[in-house]
């Protein structure tokens, strides 16, 4: 089992080498989670079972922390997918847009990205709003709003799982009173679906990079 | 339980380690450990709630200080100072405990400086006794100027007669605060405050870079007591200093003091409001599955290999939630669980509710989760499955789920609710322990370190027989040579004899019974060896409605003093002790407690406790007890008082745990105002599951 996971991670990472901004800072280090496994928790069991069953995979990277990990598809409900990682955290995604994270220490607890989703998938330049909820000091729920400019940056060729994919790059530049960040989305030319993205999750976590893996 | 070796936690500790720590930049801390220049105070404050630890060394003086920014304007300080060879005739050092308070009267405005008023050492041996009024103003963003007037020790240099003598001649002379000797320490020196000569002090601080600050001050403290003893030489009123703030929250200061001495200071400022990892690093909860997926699960099919109960049991246990009972009536499913893992009770509830939704057949629409504590059903949370489904990804999901969850006082379990085969339960643990002991002048920090074996046998819910044996391996407490000089029954001051005369210590061996005498009521009966120094019987009731911030309790005990060898024998002293107590959980994070009754030495009186409880479980508090024992009979310190600090392990590690580091620091342990140290007082056991506490951490419901 351990070897299988390790070789899976190694194989996936081999397909990671591109020159995109989004992935440049990642892939420095892979944590050998498998070697630390003693008795798996239920979540680990689910991860292992899904991975063995050939469930779709997504690659997740956290740039600021230089961590790369593999997520397996777990659940889809009301159009929102939850992806589990072997190391414990999970990511909820709707049409490729990050809806929440769990287990990162400073999680994105929830979000409303409906305006962003419409503009990015519609490939429309313009200004829209996004809302994100975090846990702040004194364990208080803090919801913040951001004003975001959407800009279609044009065609980009991307190597994904050893195949060259024609994509359109759309950028989202967001500001609030004291925060600003830039999100990037690569949309597949053929079907308009997101194949890769870089999305800001929270203050301490920074951007999360996601890229389609095999079976996806 | 598997949780301890959770891979997720290990992996993400690495994430946590790379995060900025919860430490704050130490702001302008003086050698006294309070906000100030070098030796002199300023009108600055720390961030609200900040906890600052400081050690400073200069000439013959060491000061170890804990400062707490109690409210945005009020600062409190406890200090343990040592002055080398101060007691020259005895050839001894002076060990000095002192308390300070300061209050910032106003915020700085464009034209007006911030003003503060402060009391240093307002009730100790009086060595640092002084008062001040001080103003601080930023001239540029980087330069701050401070000027003040000092009394007492701060009024020594070029002191002038007080202008207030016009109001009353009393202001002209300062009574000698240490005249009463050790017997009167601990009393508030009201008579001396703001009396005697006044002298000006002041200084400038220049923040050169984000990390480096340079300071110069004019000191009004002549250190006359130290100079007269030849302990230091006062050559100049001007002190110079620099401070450097490291990213990890450590702040170092170096100074050139009195024109003759070099000083060093190290400080660390902690922000109790912000946990190391605010949302935690534990593994993610399982996402809600579509009802169709749950319906087709094998346990919801006829002739499935596992029952719903088996699956629920395994899934809850995986989360550290122990299933005690289960029942399904129509479309309502109820579970009774013991939370062994999550300090945020709403998180335990959120996870239990999602597990129920992923397990029970789709026809079940309503979920009841009852939290069991020491065999008592405390609070029942009722939620609708449809609300969970609607709110899982909602932007305002935490708040809305709170609004849609009903919290009520739990009903007793019916016979059909209870799972069979859980009782009797037997648990045991072998672990190390550390008991510190502070402020013995011969050796300020003493400790006992050893191994502890605990075992508990729970015959049925609420009926617990448990004990602890300790074997010390390293012990400096028993080396103490000071014997009790107490004129009261020696209910606590013989602590050293207990350490000296015991080898294997039976710290407790009790039978406890926890029960619910009625709605909103809790009860406890305990009998046996209750604590290390007393055995007997104890009974307690607590009234605590589920939504109430007020709780009322009463406790009666009849106890006999145990033998010094801490085995099974008793000494002759026996006493009836008991209290009525009121607890109030203020909306602003403060908790108050008042206990009135009879203490171990037979003295009658009351204890006032005030805690600032942060929502993540960090707690900083202070207490004092006044009884009918006179200050003189009480002895050193005059009355019992102290401070407590409690820090949950999860605050530091980011991983949920019910364990906390806790320490009570008393300036001196005497026999007056001493309470029985009984385990599992009801308020502490049940409080976390009542509405005000559950709401505090509701942000973690979906975590």
């Amino acid at each position: 089992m351990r070897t299988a996971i390790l070789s899976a991670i190694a194989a996936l990472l081999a397909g990671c080498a591109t020159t995109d901004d989004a992935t440049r800072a990642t892939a420095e280090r892979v944590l050998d989670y498998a070697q630390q496994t003693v008795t798996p928790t239920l979540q680990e069991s689910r991860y292992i079972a899904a991975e063995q069953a050939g469930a779709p995979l997504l690659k997740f990277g956290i740039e600021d922390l230089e961590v790369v990990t593999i997520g397996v598809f777990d659940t889809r409900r009301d159009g929102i997918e939850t992806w589990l990682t072997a190391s414990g955290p999970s990511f909820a995604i709707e049409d490729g847009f990050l809806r929440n994270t769990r287990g990162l220490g400073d999680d994105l607890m929830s979000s409303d990205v409906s305006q962003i989703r419409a503009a990015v998938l519609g490939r429309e330049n313009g200004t829209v709003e996004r809302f994100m909820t975090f846990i702040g000091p004194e364990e208080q729920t803090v919801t913040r709003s951001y004003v975001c400019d959407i800009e279609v940056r044009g065609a980009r060729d991307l190597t994904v799982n050893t195949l060259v994919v024609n994509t359109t790059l759309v950028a989202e530049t967001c500001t609030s009173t004291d925060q600003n960040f830039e999100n990037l989305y690569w949309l597949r030319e053929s079907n308009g679906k997101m194949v890769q993205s870089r999305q800001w999750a929270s203050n301490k976590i920074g951007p999360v990079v996601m890229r389609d893996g095999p079976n996806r | 339980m598997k949780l301890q070796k959770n891979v997720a936690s290990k992996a993400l500790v690495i994430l946590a380690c790379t995060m900025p720590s919860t430490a704050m930049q130490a702001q302008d801390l003086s050698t006294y450990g309070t906000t100030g220049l070098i030796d002199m105070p300023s009108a600055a404050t720390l961030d609200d709630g900040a906890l600052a630890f400081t050690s400073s060394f200069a000439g013959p003086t060491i000061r170890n200080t804990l400062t707490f920014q109690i409210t945005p304007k009020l600062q409190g300080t406890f200090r343990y100072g040592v002055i080398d060879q101060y007691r020259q005739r005895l050839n001894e050092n002076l060990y000095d405990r002192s308390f300070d308070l300061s209050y910032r009267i106003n915020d700085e405005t464009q034209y007006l400086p911030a003003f503060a008023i402060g009391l240093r050492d307002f009730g100790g041996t009086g060595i640092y006794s002084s008062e001040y009024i001080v103003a601080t103003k930023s001239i540029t963003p980087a330069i701050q100027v401070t000027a003040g007037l000092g009394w007492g020790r701060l009024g020594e240099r070029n002191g002038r007669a007080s202008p207030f003598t016009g109001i009353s001649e009393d202001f002209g002379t300062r009574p000698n605060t240490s005249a009463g000797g050790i017997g009167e320490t601990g009393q508030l020196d009201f008579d001396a405050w703001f009396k005697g000569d006044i002298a000006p002090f002041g200084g400038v601080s220049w923040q050169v870079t984000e990390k480096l600050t340079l300071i110069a001050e004019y000191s009004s403290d002549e250190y006359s007591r130290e100079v007269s003893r030849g302990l230091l030489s006062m050559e100049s009123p001007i002190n110079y200093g620099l401070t450097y703030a490291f990213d990890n929250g450590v702040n170092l200061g170096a100074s050139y003091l009195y024109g003759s001495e070099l000083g060093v200071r190290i400080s660390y400022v902690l922000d109790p409001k912000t946990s190391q990892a605010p949302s935690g690093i534990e593994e993610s909860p399982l996402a809600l599955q579509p009802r169709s997926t749950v319906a087709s699960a094998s346990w919801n099919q006829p002739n499935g290999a596992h029952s719903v109960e088996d699956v629920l049991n395994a899934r809850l246990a995986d989360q550290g939630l122990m299933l005690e009972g289960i029942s399904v009536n129509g479309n309502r499913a109820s579970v009774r669980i013991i939370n062994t893992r999550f300090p945020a009770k709403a998180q335990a509830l959120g996870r239990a509710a999602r597990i129920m939704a992923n397990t029970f057949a789709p026809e079940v629409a309503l979920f009841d989760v009852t939290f069991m504590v020491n065999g008592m059903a405390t609070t029942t949370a009722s939620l609708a499955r449809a609300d969970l489904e609607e709110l899982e990804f909602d932007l305002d999901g935490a708040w809305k789920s709170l609004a849609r969850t009903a919290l009520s006082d739990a009903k007793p379990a019916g016979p059909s609710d209870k799972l069979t085969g859980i009782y009797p339960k037997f648990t045991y643990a072998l672990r190390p322990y550390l008991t510190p002991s502070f402020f013995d002048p011969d050796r300020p920090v003493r400790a006992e370190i050893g191994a502890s074996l605990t075992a508990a046998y729970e015959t049925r819910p609420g009926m617990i027989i448990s004990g602890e044996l300790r074997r010390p391996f390293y012990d400096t407490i028993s080396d103490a040579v000071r014997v009790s000089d107490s004129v009261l029954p020696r209910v606590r001051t013989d602590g050293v004899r207990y350490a000296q005369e015991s080898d294997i210590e039976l710290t407790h061996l009790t039978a406890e019974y926890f029960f619910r005498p009625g709605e909103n009521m809790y009860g406890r009966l305990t009998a046996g060896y209750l604590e290390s120094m007393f055995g007997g019987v104890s009974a307690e009731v607590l009234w605590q409605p589920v939504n109430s911030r007020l709780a009322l309790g009463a406790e009666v005990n009849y106890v006999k003093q145990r033998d010094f060898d801490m085995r099974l024998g008793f000494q002759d002293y026996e006493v009836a002790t008991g209290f009525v107590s009121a607890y109030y959980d203020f909306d602003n994070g403060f908790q108050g407690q008042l206990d009135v009754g009879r203490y171990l030495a037979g003295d009658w009186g009351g204890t006032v406790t005030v805690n600032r409880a942060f929502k993540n479980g960090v707690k900083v508090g202070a207490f004092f007890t006044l009884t009918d024992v006179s200050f003189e009979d009480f002895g050193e310190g005059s009355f019992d008082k102290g401070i407590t600090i409690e820090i949950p392990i999860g605050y530091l590690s980011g991983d949920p745990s019910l364990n906390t580091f806790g320490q009570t620091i008393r300036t001196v342990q005497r026999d007056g105002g001493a309470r029985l140290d009984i385990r599992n007082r009801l308020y502490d056991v049940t409080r976390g599951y009542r509405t005000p506490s559950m709401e505090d951490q509701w942000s973690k419901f979906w975590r």
Side-chain angles (χ1 to χ4, degrees):
Chain A
M1 167 50 54
R2 184 174 298 169
T3 326
I5 292 179
L6 282 177
S7 54
I9 292 172
L12 283 161
L13 286 171
C16 244
T18 71
T19 55
D20 296 317
D21 286 351
T23 45
R24 196 165 53 206
T26 61
E28 290 294 317
R29 181 181 55 185
V30 176
L31 299 174
D32 180 6
Y33 302 126
Q35 285 195 346
Q36 298 177 41
T37 305
V38 192
T39 309
T41 62
L42 288 183
Q43 174 170 328
E44 289 153 15
S45 308
R46 282 164 77 99
Y47 177 89
I48 292 164
E51 192 265 335
Q52 282 178 330
L57 302 177
L58 258 183
K59 282 173 277 189
F60 291 93
I62 298 173
E63 284 187 13
D64 293 358
L65 307 178
E66 297 189 346
V67 176
V68 174
T69 187
I70 307 296
V72 300
F73 173 76
D74 178 63
T75 304
R76 181 185 176 93
R77 193 175 66 81
D78 291 346
I80 300 174
E81 298 169 347
T82 299
W83 293 74
L84 297 179
T85 65
S87 52
S90 72
F91 299 85
I93 298 161
E94 185 175 17
D95 293 336
F97 294 87
L98 190 64
R99 290 294 304 272
N100 74 36
T101 68
R102 291 289 183 268
L104 296 179
D106 182 22
D107 282 314
L108 169 60
M109 290 305 292
S110 54
S111 61
D112 176 350
V113 293
S114 51
Q115 294 179 30
I116 307 290
R117 192 180 61 184
V120 171
L121 294 181
R123 302 179 202 196
E124 298 162 6
N125 288 336
T127 302
V128 288
E129 272 191 294
R130 75 154 53 227
F131 305 90
M132 303 171 90
T133 299
F134 310 97
I135 296 180
E138 280 276 58
E139 315 248 324
Q140 293 296 295
T141 292
V142 180
T143 297
R144 310 188 61 134
S145 67
Y146 303 84
V147 175
C148 305
D149 289 326
I150 307 291
E151 181 198 354
V152 179
R153 294 212 175 145
R156 298 285 192 279
D157 285 349
L158 214 60
T159 306
V160 179
N161 303 321
T162 72
L163 296 174
V164 176
V165 179
N166 302 321
T167 68
T168 303
L169 174 61
V170 182
E172 174 199 5
T173 311
C174 298
T175 52
S176 71
T177 46
D178 60 344
Q179 288 173 322
N180 57 76
F181 54 86
E182 183 186 68
N183 291 344
L184 299 170
Y185 309 94
W186 285 261
L187 306 177
R188 200 183 282 265
E189 278 299 327
S190 55
N191 59 6
K193 289 193 172 168
M194 201 182 299
V195 62
Q196 176 173 288
S197 66
R198 172 187 192 264
Q199 301 181 46
W200 189 83
S202 72
N203 246 346
K204 287 182 179 172
I205 298 306
V208 173
V209 178
M210 288 178 265
R211 166 192 283 249
D212 279 5
N215 307 336
R216 167 79 169 154
Chain B
M1 196 167 44
K2 290 182 291 235
L3 301 168
Q4 301 309 318
K5 48 191 173 186
N6 193 328
V7 181
S9 320
K10 279 186 202 161
L12 275 157
V13 164
I14 297 162
L15 298 193
C17 291
T18 58
M19 291 177 185
S21 74
T22 55
M24 295 180 186
Q25 300 265 304
Q27 300 138 302
D28 311 329
L29 288 162
S30 70
T31 59
Y32 281 85
T34 56
T35 41
L37 298 161
I38 302 165
D39 249 7
M40 299 293 111
S42 75
T45 46
L46 297 168
D47 288 342
D48 178 39
L51 207 50
F53 303 85
T54 298
S55 288
S56 70
F57 309 85
T61 308
I62 301 172
R63 297 181 191 127
N64 298 299
T65 311
L66 174 67
T67 288
F68 180 48
Q69 192 67 43
I70 304 166
T71 72
K73 291 187 167 177
L74 182 66
Q75 189 176 90
T77 297
F78 172 67
R79 182 179 307 104
Y80 189 63
V82 185
I83 305 178
D84 210 25
Q85 293 298 308
Y86 187 86
R87 293 181 159 162
Q88 288 177 316
R89 270 171 296 176
L90 301 168
N91 195 25
E92 276 181 5
N93 301 341
L94 176 74
Y95 295 91
D96 182 67
R97 281 148 280 186
S98 53
F99 292 94
D100 300 357
L101 274 178
S102 72
Y103 185 79
R104 195 185 68 214
I105 297 160
N106 66 303
D107 294 335
E108 184 181 333
T109 65
Q110 193 179 351
Y111 302 108
L112 193 66
F115 284 90
I117 185 165
L119 306 170
R120 257 186 198 171
D121 190 6
F122 59 81
T125 47
I127 179 98
Y128 292 127
S129 168
S130 48
E131 302 80 46
Y132 58 87
I133 295 172
V134 65
T136 298
K137 177 88 185 80
S138 298
I139 304 301
T140 74
I143 296 178
Q144 289 192 324
V145 176
T146 292
L149 289 173
W151 284 258
R153 201 175 159 121
L154 288 170
E156 284 184 349
R157 193 183 305 276
N158 300 323
R160 300 287 160 82
S162 170
F164 300 121
T165 45
I167 302 168
S168 162
E169 286 198 2
D170 272 2
F171 284 105
T173 32
R174 188 178 182 88
N176 184 356
T177 52
S178 52
I182 200 82
E184 286 190 12
T185 63
Q187 299 175 33
L188 300 181
D189 303 320
F190 291 115
D191 308 348
W193 295 349
F194 298 100
K195 289 185 183 155
D197 286 355
I198 298 184
F201 62 87
V204 180
S205 73
W206 172 34
Q207 192 178 359
V208 185
T209 68
E210 201 173 296
K211 298 189 167 170
L212 178 69
T213 305
L214 300 180
I215 309 166
E217 71 175 13
Y218 171 84
S219 167
S220 59
D221 183 354
E222 290 189 308
Y223 279 76
S224 56
R225 300 182 200 198
E226 288 85 345
V227 169
S228 69
R229 289 169 170 81
L231 300 175
L232 64 81
S233 154
M234 178 58 71
E235 305 294 336
S236 165
I238 312 285
N239 299 326
Y240 303 93
L242 64 86
T243 67
Y244 191 85
F246 291 89
D247 284 338
N248 60 7
V250 172
N251 180 289
L252 283 183
S255 50
Y256 183 63
L257 297 154
Y258 336 124
S260 62
E261 297 281 356
L262 288 174
V264 208
R265 173 186 58 79
I266 180 165
S267 303
Y268 182 76
V269 185
L270 193 76
D271 173 13
K273 286 184 176 178
T274 309
S275 305
Q276 188 69 249
S279 68
I281 60 167
E282 66 279 13
E283 84 291 349
S284 64
L286 292 183
L288 284 177
Q289 292 174 329
R291 289 198 192 191
S292 57
T293 309
V294 180
S296 61
S298 63
W299 57 87
N300 283 322
Q301 302 296 317
N303 309 318
H306 300 285
S307 67
V308 168
E309 186 180 306
D310 290 343
V311 174
L312 202 63
N313 202 350
R315 288 179 164 184
L316 288 167
D318 179 64
Q319 294 297 316
L321 303 171
M322 301 305 154
L323 187 64
E324 289 266 300
I326 178 173
S327 66
V328 180
N329 292 312
N331 67 350
R332 180 182 293 274
S334 305
V335 297
R336 291 168 178 267
I337 57 172
I338 301 172
N339 167 27
T340 67
R341 185 184 182 200
F342 297 101
K345 309 304 186 290
Q347 186 177 5
L349 174 62
R351 292 201 173 205
R354 271 169 287 187
I355 287 170
M356 292 174 83
N358 282 348
T359 308
F360 282 109
E363 303 80 71
V364 178
L366 300 168
F367 299 139
D368 283 351
V369 178
T370 298
F371 288 99
M372 305 290 294
V373 182
N374 289 357
M376 297 179 288
T378 56
T379 297
T380 298
S382 305
L383 329 84
R385 186 177 199 147
D387 287 337
L388 290 173
E389 290 164 346
E390 184 189 331
L391 300 177
E392 184 181 18
F393 298 105
D394 192 282
L395 182 68
D396 209 7
W399 167 246
K400 286 180 185 168
S401 65
L402 171 61
R404 297 187 198 180
T405 301
L407 298 173
S408 58
D409 194 47
K411 305 276 179 296
S416 62
D417 299 352
K418 293 174 188 163
L419 288 188
T420 52
I422 298 183
Y423 291 90
K425 285 181 183 174
F426 180 70
T427 52
Y428 68 94
L430 182 64
R431 50 172 94 88
Y433 75 91
L434 163 72
T435 309
S437 163
F438 299 109
F439 311 137
D440 178 346
D442 298 330
R443 187 165 179 171
V445 179
R446 293 178 181 274
E448 187 181 288
I449 298 168
S452 146
L453 175 68
T454 53
Y457 184 70
E458 210 171 339
T459 55
R460 62 192 189 84
M463 179 62 97
I464 307 163
I465 298 161
S466 65
E468 180 188 28
L469 284 173
R470 286 182 170 186
R471 174 75 173 90
F473 294 122
Y474 171 82
D475 173 20
T476 53
I477 294 177
S478 60
D479 299 342
V481 292
R482 287 177 192 250
V483 291
S484 173
D485 60 356
S486 184
V487 298
L488 299 170
R490 293 180 181 174
V491 294
R492 288 294 179 214
T493 52
D494 276 334
V496 171
R497 290 195 64 183
Y498 281 93
Q500 283 168 343
E501 296 184 25
S502 60
D503 43 9
I504 290 187
E505 307 168 355
L506 177 69
T507 58
H508 78 263
L509 177 62
T510 56
E512 292 169 295
Y513 179 56
F514 296 91
F515 59 104
R516 297 289 312 261
E519 195 180 341
N520 297 323
M521 300 284 289
Y522 297 88
R524 171 184 61 79
L525 297 173
T526 311
Y529 297 88
L530 303 173
E531 53 136 295
S532 51
M533 299 183 197
F534 289 90
V537 290
S538 169
E540 185 187 1
V541 288
L542 178 74
W543 171 83
Q544 189 180 28
V546 67
N547 291 318
S548 172
R549 294 190 169 274
L550 174 72
L552 300 172
E555 167 192 319
V556 288
N557 317 288
Y558 193 83
V559 294
K560 205 164 178 191
Q561 189 159 17
R562 294 179 59 190
D563 276 343
F564 295 130
D565 65 8
M566 288 168 77
R567 296 196 176 184
L568 301 179
F570 287 96
Q571 304 183 42
D572 292 336
Y573 183 73
E574 53 187 72
V575 65
T577 163
F579 299 90
V580 290
S581 305
Y583 311 83
Y584 198 83
D585 202 340
F586 293 92
D587 204 15
N588 57 6
F590 283 85
Q591 295 168 356
Q593 180 177 339
L594 176 66
D595 305 286
V596 177
R598 189 171 191 231
Y599 294 80
L600 279 174
D603 43 340
W604 290 85
T607 301
V608 175
T609 307
V610 177
N611 288 315
R612 176 147 186 202
F614 296 92
K615 288 180 174 154
N616 52 28
V618 177
K619 206 188 261 187
V620 183
F623 63 89
F624 67 88
T625 300
L626 294 172
T627 70
D628 57 2
V629 169
S630 67
F631 290 161
E632 191 184 349
D633 285 349
F634 183 91
E636 185 183 352
S638 300
F639 60 95
D640 190 53
K641 58 191 169 295
I643 52 179
T644 54
I645 296 183
E646 215 174 283
I647 298 178
I649 305 269
Y651 165 83
L652 301 167
S653 70
D655 219 6
S657 162
L658 298 182
N659 294 327
T660 57
F661 295 116
Q663 187 63 50
T664 296
I665 301 170
R666 282 185 160 82
T667 53
V668 60
Q669 174 74 65
R670 302 290 294 178
D671 295 319
R675 281 190 79 171
L676 192 65
D677 187 16
I678 196 151
R679 292 160 32 258
N680 293 320
R681 280 208 166 91
L682 289 169
Y683 184 72
D684 296 332
V685 167
T686 60
R687 177 185 167 270
Y689 292 96
R690 307 315 261 177
T691 305
S693 303
M694 289 190 71
E695 284 178 356
D696 275 351
Q697 292 183 300
W698 204 273
S699 57
K700 289 196 166 173
F701 181 87
W702 289 108
R703 178 66 187 87

